[in-house]
Amino acid sequence: MGVEIAISIAREETRVAVLDNGVVTDLYGDRAKDQDYVGNIYKGRVAKVLPGMQAAFIDIGLEKAAFMHVSDLSIDIEPGDTLVEGDDEDNKDSEVPKPKRQSSKPIEELLSEGQEVMVQISKGPIGTKGSRVTTYVSLPGRYLVFMPTVEHIGVSRRIPRDEERARLKEIMKRARRPGYGYIVRTVSEGVKEEELRSDVEFLHVLWQDVLTKRDQQPAPSLLHSDLSLSFRVVRDLFGRRVDRLLIDSRDEYNAIKGFVQRFSPEQTSRIHFYDKEESLFDYLGVEQEITRAMSRKVWLKSGGYLVIDHTEAMTVIDVNTGRFVGKRDQEETILRNNLEAAREIAYQVKLRGIGGIIIVDFIDMEREKNRDKVYHALVDAMSSDKARTRISRVSDLGLIEISRERVREDLLRSLSEPCHYCDGRGYTKSPMSVAYEIFREVRRLGHEIEQQRVVVGAHPAVALLLQEQELSGVEDLERRYSAKILVTPDERLHLEQFDLVVM
């Protein structure tokens, strides 16, 4: 079946899925009302300098000010600073290395409030945080990433053959424009010199257009926006490894086919228009996988399961044996369950886009060699992840700590919001607890309700409890205070809310 890319276009959103042998490995989405700003270049104005954090907030015209650390600031760095040869792409295929020499001056000596600065969004807003920006601008093309602020030639380390990497570097030494930097992308493997030269010229014209807008437009303003999601996916992912690209929009199909025809005409035969009645994502089983990725509990094939919980500070993943009892000794059963869980955890973390600190609670193993097997299985499973990741060894408590770079809003945050009913807690008080709270409130009023009529308005579940199971408690209060207590159900009230009216 090989690698497939599915692009589903609707009026309100564009969704993209990458599948490898029928298994969904990546999901991307872009909603018309929730635009992805990563890669956009702005002329911004410094809103605030924070010496204590060595950072600044930049007004770029969006709802939230952008954040920039001093390490992302190229001011006081000479144009054309050279990166060390051989560093190429420690940060994978499309990310941009920074100069090895950074300014020794503190940020308060480099920036001042009101100062205008050209920046590019490197990370989109996540949760309550605004975008992160950098002055190390990069412009991705079909075969190259152009870096106008550094002088460096790099070749993607995902091109495995040393001789091909050397060939591409030699071509770029001839084709480059002096004073600028370039990274040769993975898709460039095997391309001819004229194609790389064409990309150099195209990106240079694009950069000159950005500079012209910078000089003419006021701050804050947008100077350059990246391609739409579907075109970015085609540019970045549609290479020789992809066997088929499916698109369910005739207009987008024609546009993408024309786009690819200009750059790689030999690849157009693998672009297909999907016109079946069943939706594209249903046909490929993507919708089912999205639903699974939104679930708190993820079942393993063996019968074990994962529980994935998100907190403000970290994500916690608990491994359980569930229905998996094994056929041998207990340690062997636990090991097999943990090994399967390690592979599924790597898959879920990448698919859901989970970043930050991740704590995995594996089932305790007594043997050191088994803990090592689980650790190496997790490392191997996450080795293909493009996000920067650090993984600790299994602790004596059976825990593994993962630190994963936040490259985008995780799937749960982007497709959901905190529960309005429980206020994001994940639980509510039980009807019994609310009923007893009402009893305490009546006692608190005490003598104020003597010889009075008290009307209690409560959620139907609480009212039913007071009228039936806890009726004796209501009658006891009536006798104690010589009062009449009337319980009325009110569907408009939250489960935890109630009204007490003394008449």
Side-chain angles (χ1 to χ4, degrees):
M1 194 176 293
V3 178
E4 297 175 295
I5 298 176
I7 301 177
S8 179
I9 308 292
R11 178 191 61 82
E12 65 279 1
E13 65 178 351
T14 297
R15 298 188 298 168
V16 177
V18 181
L19 301 91
D20 192 347
N21 291 316
V23 178
V24 180
T25 59
D26 288 287
L27 286 169
Y28 307 94
D30 194 4
R31 293 179 173 175
K33 294 182 179 179
D34 190 18
Q35 187 180 351
D36 182 8
Y37 299 103
V38 174
N40 286 4
I41 301 174
Y42 296 85
K43 182 178 182 179
R45 180 178 288 109
V46 178
K48 193 169 186 179
V49 179
L50 306 172
M53 296 177 62
Q54 283 300 290
F57 285 108
I58 313 294
D59 177 14
I60 57 176
L62 300 182
E63 182 180 353
K64 298 174 184 174
F67 175 85
M68 180 169 64
H69 189 262
V70 69
S71 61
D72 291 309
L73 188 59
S74 61
I75 293 176
D76 194 46
I77 299 292
E78 290 297 321
D81 267 3
T82 304
L83 285 157
V84 178
E85 286 291 326
D87 278 357
D88 295 355
E89 280 188 271
D90 291 325
N91 297 339
K92 307 291 185 182
D93 191 48
S94 62
E95 292 189 331
V96 182
K98 298 173 186 175
K100 294 300 177 185
R101 184 178 74 80
Q102 295 177 356
S103 174
S104 58
K105 294 181 180 179
I107 196 167
E108 60 267 29
E109 294 184 19
L110 301 174
L111 292 179
S112 57
E113 292 187 15
Q115 182 177 340
E116 294 181 350
V117 59
M118 182 170 64
V119 295
Q120 183 175 38
I121 294 182
S122 56
K123 288 184 182 179
I126 296 177
T128 59
K129 300 178 181 178
S131 303
R132 179 156 182 167
V133 295
T134 176
T135 58
Y136 294 103
V137 174
S138 64
L139 291 172
R142 173 61 177 162
Y143 301 111
L144 305 170
V145 176
F146 176 55
M147 303 178 296
T149 60
V150 297
E151 188 171 357
H152 169 70
I153 297 175
V155 179
S156 169
R157 289 187 175 179
R158 295 170 69 191
I159 297 176
R161 294 185 299 118
D162 291 339
E163 58 269 26
E164 176 63 8
R165 289 165 52 82
R167 181 187 77 88
L168 291 169
K169 183 166 281 192
E170 286 303 315
I171 289 175
M172 288 308 302
K173 286 180 179 178
R174 297 191 296 269
R176 62 177 297 194
R177 283 179 172 262
Y180 298 116
Y182 303 86
I183 290 178
V184 182
R185 309 183 71 178
T186 308
V187 72
S188 302
E189 187 175 7
V191 303
K192 298 177 181 178
E193 181 168 342
E194 53 265 33
E195 292 175 294
L196 293 175
R197 287 186 178 276
S198 176
D199 222 20
V200 168
E201 294 306 312
F202 167 74
L203 291 170
H204 182 73
V205 170
L206 199 61
W207 175 238
Q208 294 304 312
D209 182 55
V210 171
L211 294 180
T212 300
K213 290 181 180 178
R214 181 196 63 181
D215 294 338
Q216 294 177 349
Q217 296 183 12
S221 59
L222 174 66
L223 304 180
H224 168 78
S225 58
D226 205 357
L227 298 172
S228 66
L229 174 61
S230 54
F231 279 85
R232 291 200 309 270
V233 166
V234 171
R235 180 192 68 195
D236 298 343
L237 303 178
F238 187 50
R240 292 176 178 83
R241 288 184 61 250
V242 178
D243 297 320
R244 186 169 61 157
L245 173 65
L246 296 170
I247 309 166
D248 63 4
S249 162
R250 174 66 73 178
D251 290 341
E252 198 77 357
Y253 164 76
N254 291 331
I256 287 176
K257 196 163 186 177
F259 178 75
V260 174
Q261 182 71 39
R262 295 200 305 272
F263 295 102
S264 304
E266 73 282 357
Q267 295 187 179
T268 55
S269 62
R270 285 180 278 139
I271 303 174
H272 303 277
F273 173 58
Y274 178 83
D275 59 354
K276 293 185 172 67
E277 186 173 334
E278 185 181 20
S279 76
L280 176 58
F281 272 29
D282 283 334
Y283 169 71
L284 296 173
V286 178
E287 294 289 7
Q288 181 180 351
E289 205 60 33
I290 293 174
T291 301
R292 187 166 174 259
M294 291 287 289
S295 301
R296 179 173 177 260
K297 181 181 286 188
V298 178
W299 286 98
L300 305 175
K301 291 181 180 179
S302 64
Y305 63 91
L306 311 176
V307 175
I308 304 175
D309 283 318
H310 298 265
T311 73
E312 190 69 25
M314 67 184 70
T315 299
V316 180
I317 303 176
D318 187 35
V319 180
N320 299 274
T321 53
R323 299 188 296 263
F324 181 48
V325 294
K327 297 180 179 178
R328 300 182 183 179
D329 62 273
Q330 184 180 12
E331 180 81 2
E332 183 67 22
T333 299
I334 291 172
L335 174 62
R336 289 180 58 194
N337 193 89
N338 282 343
L339 289 174
E340 185 183 6
R343 293 188 290 271
E344 185 64 30
I345 287 166
Y347 173 71
Q348 290 293 329
V349 164
K350 183 182 178 186
L351 183 65
R352 297 177 184 224
I354 300 172
I357 301 297
I358 305 165
I359 302 296
V360 183
D361 184 8
F362 285 101
I363 303 168
D364 290 343
M365 296 166 287
E366 294 180 1
R367 299 169 195 163
E368 182 69 29
K369 67 175 184 178
N370 288 344
R371 290 199 288 268
D372 286 341
K373 285 181 181 178
V374 171
Y375 166 74
H376 288 297
L378 184 61
V379 171
D380 290 344
M382 297 197 70
S383 61
S384 61
D385 195 344
K386 291 183 180 181
R388 289 191 294 272
T389 306
R390 290 186 299 173
I391 305 174
S392 71
R393 288 190 170 272
V394 184
S395 72
D396 292 338
L397 298 176
L399 304 177
I400 280 185
E401 179 184 317
I402 303 171
S403 173
R404 185 175 186 268
E405 178 189 20
R406 295 184 188 271
V407 293
R408 58 186 169 94
E409 188 87 279
D410 68 67
L411 196 65
L412 188 67
R413 286 180 182 269
S414 61
L415 298 183
S416 64
E417 59 184 27
C419 174
H420 295 298
Y421 200 81
C422 70
D423 200 24
R425 292 176 299 176
Y427 59 87
T428 60
K429 294 178 183 177
S430 67
M432 187 75 75
S433 296
V434 179
Y436 292 171
E437 195 172 327
I438 291 172
F439 288 166
R440 289 193 294 272
E441 185 62 26
V442 171
R443 294 189 189 103
R444 194 173 290 119
L445 292 173
H447 297 295
E448 294 180 29
I449 64 170
E450 287 183 355
Q451 306 295 325
Q452 300 293 320
R453 194 164 175 244
V454 181
V455 179
V456 178
H459 184 276
V462 177
L464 183 64
L465 196 66
L466 293 171
Q467 291 166 344
E468 296 183 354
Q469 286 179 252
E470 295 299 324
L471 179 59
S472 60
V474 174
E475 293 172 342
D476 180 66
L477 289 172
E478 287 180 323
R479 288 192 298 269
R480 181 174 177 178
Y481 297 107
S482 300
K484 182 61 178 176
I485 300 176
L486 299 176
V487 178
T488 59
D490 188 343
E491 293 182 352
R492 296 170 299 176
L493 291 175
H494 185 280
L495 178 62
E496 297 179 354
Q497 292 178 321
F498 58 86
D499 294 324
L500 281 179
V501 179
V502 181
M503 304 177 69

